[in-house]
Amino acid sequence: MSKIQRLRHEFDTEQVPELSVRDIHSVSSLCKMYFRELPNPLLTDQLYDKFLDAAGAAEEERVQRMKDAIQQLPAPHYRTLQYLMRHLASLAGNCSVTSMDARNLAIVWAPNLLRSQQSPSACASNEAACMELQAQSAVVELLISHADVLFCSNSTTAVGEGELLPPLA
């Protein structure tokens, strides 16, 4: 925890941390903490139900419905999600080295990207909380597994606030 706090302090004070010598787990924990503490999650509160509905749709509709939902995100959220999902898809593609497939990554990242719409008392039971986490994980797993289709770099469609997105290098 002290490594994470030190790294966070360096970012907060606008110092440039030396990330190459840091523990990769500290860096990933700091990233998850950043997303978890956003006032409005990356997959916004306003679109929460659309993301859950897309992940729960019939198999032949899932990807298109997810694409429709992510295209409603504000442009900064979309760009950040695009970069993060491509990175996580890359990690999942190397699961023989990372030991993290799309499902495992989704379980770890979902609570940081989506915020439950249920009141804390509604999620008081372990069963309700578990079902909520499963639904959130299904959304993130779909985003990771289909990142190449959902975030086509050759697409010129306007996203968010009408901005065109450049392809990632």
Side-chain angles (χ1 to χ4, degrees):
M1 193 62 173
S2 65
K3 287 181 183 179
I4 297 167
Q5 291 303 334
R6 190 169 43 249
L7 191 57
R8 182 178 183 167
H9 175 73
E10 290 173 2
F11 277 107
D12 287 346
T13 59
E14 298 184 13
Q15 297 175 30
V16 179
E18 178 53 53
L19 296 177
S20 63
V21 298
R22 300 287 182 172
D23 174 21
I24 190 65
H25 299 289
S26 296
V27 174
S28 62
S29 293
L30 182 64
C31 287
K32 289 185 290 184
M33 181 187 302
Y34 169 80
F35 285 110
R36 185 173 48 251
E37 293 178 358
L38 288 174
N40 192 8
L42 189 61
L43 300 175
T44 65
D45 290 333
Q46 297 80 5
L47 294 172
Y48 184 84
D49 290 333
K50 289 189 182 209
F51 283 112
L52 290 186
D53 290 344
E59 191 169 338
E60 61 276 0
E61 296 177 25
R62 275 189 203 130
V63 173
Q64 185 57 50
R65 288 179 70 178
M66 187 62 71
K67 196 172 211 175
D68 293 343
I70 63 174
Q71 289 180 348
Q72 293 177 46
L73 287 168
H77 288 243
Y78 181 95
R79 285 191 300 268
T80 304
L81 181 66
Q82 177 184 40
Y83 189 86
L84 179 61
M85 290 303 118
R86 285 186 174 173
H87 175 68
L88 294 178
S90 175
L91 290 176
N94 290 298
C95 68
S96 62
V97 175
T98 64
S99 300
M100 296 295 283
D101 61 13
R103 174 165 284 150
N104 291 339
L105 288 164
I107 290 168
V108 171
W109 278 91
N112 306 297
L113 304 177
L114 289 156
R115 200 163 295 139
S116 174
Q117 296 296 291
Q118 296 184 14
S119 67
S121 61
C123 277
S125 78
N126 288 339
E127 186 177 335
C130 186
M131 290 181 68
E132 187 80 15
L133 181 57
Q134 286 177 338
Q136 293 170 350
S137 294
V139 169
V140 176
E141 184 177 358
L142 182 64
L143 288 167
I144 294 169
S145 298
H146 297 284
D148 57 337
V149 174
L150 294 170
F151 303 103
C152 300
S153 60
N154 60 0
S155 173
T156 58
T157 57
V159 175
E161 299 161 358
E163 298 178 28
L164 295 178
L165 301 176
L168 293 176

